[in-house]
């Protein structure tokens, strides 16, 4: 029995800085989209919460795609506020004076 290892049993090694090393270390692109992980708290209004959840879509887009998401969310929030104003509320209190001139 021999302690020596034949050349056929030794796995080939790539030279330092070669393709094997480059494949092992992925390059990070600082301009790539990255989630902000901003915590969103529920408002209790389903329409508003849906719009706030929609903001998470911008996390996966390049910055030039953020504008479309922000405009969509802005429009949705405006619609939610308009719907709040349109809901029938309590009737107006009666006036205590006579409107005769």
């Amino acid at each position: 029995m021999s302690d020596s290892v034949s050349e056929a049993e030794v796995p080939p090694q790539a030279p330092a800085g070669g393709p094997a090393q480059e494949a092992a270390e992925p390059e990070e692109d600082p301009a790539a989209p990255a989630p902000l992980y901003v915590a969103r708290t529920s408002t209790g209004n389903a329409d508003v919460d849906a719009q706030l959840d929609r903001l998470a879509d911008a996390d996966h887009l390049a910055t030039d795609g953020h504008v479309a998401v922000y405009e969509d969310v802005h429009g949705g929030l405006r619609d939610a506020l308009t719907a709040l104003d349109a809901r029938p509320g309590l009737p107006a209190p009666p006036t205590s004076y006579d409107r005769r001139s």
Side-chain angles (χ1 to χ4, degrees):
M1 197 167 176
S2 171
D3 288 334
S4 65
V5 178
S6 70
E7 287 182 26
E9 295 175 13
V10 176
Q13 293 181 354
Q21 186 177 4
E22 288 176 12
E25 297 175 14
E27 226 177 274
E28 290 188 30
D29 182 8
L36 296 176
Y37 301 112
V38 175
R40 286 180 291 280
T41 305
S42 175
T43 64
N45 183 304
D47 294 333
V48 172
D49 289 340
Q51 294 303 318
L52 294 178
D53 290 341
R54 170 90 168 93
L55 287 173
D57 294 344
D59 286 347
H60 309 290
L61 299 172
T63 51
D64 60 347
H66 290 192
V67 173
V69 173
Y70 295 156
E71 287 177 348
D72 183 45
V73 170
H74 182 255
L77 290 172
R78 187 175 338 136
D79 292 345
L81 287 173
T82 301
L84 289 174
D85 288 340
R87 289 185 186 166
L90 298 174
T95 58
S96 60
Y97 58 91
D98 193 7
R99 292 190 177 183
R100 288 188 252 169
S101 17

